[in-house]
Amino acid sequence: TNEAKMAKIVVLSPPKYLKLLNSIYADIYGYTLFKAFEEEMGSIAGEASLFTLGMKLKPYETIAKLIKKACAGFGTDELLLPCCIIRYQDLMP
């Protein structure tokens, strides 16, 4: 798989187009773009592509996962949590 082409599609495509592409891809292959990117992309590039895809298709869920990641584990990530709150304050109720 050409990872650069997959990432380019996600980064350059508007959300409206990605939603349509995601539904067509799910109809043809039986799973969504999220699953395809998890299987095909590696490590940091895959995580970045999934985050970008999530922000375009499901922004609220993606932000919630990021905040949960900042608070999960042994202690709170003291840099990531305030960065999330400040960065995404316009999207929060």
Side-chain angles (χ1 to χ4, degrees), residues 1-13 17-18 21 33 37 40-41 45 49 53:
T1 304
N2 191 340
E3 294 178 359
K5 286 184 180 179
M6 288 178 72
K8 190 175 182 179
I9 289 170
V10 171
V11 170
L12 297 178
S13 299
Y17 174 73
L18 279 176
L21 183 64
L33 288 174
F37 273 77
E40 297 295 329
M41 300 291 274
S49 296
L53 184 63

Side-chain angles (χ1 to χ4, degrees), residues 32-48:
T32 64
L33 288 174
F34 287 100
K35 182 72 172 174
F37 273 77
E38 285 175 1
E39 292 178 358
E40 297 295 329
M41 300 291 274
S43 66
I44 296 172
E47 192 174 324

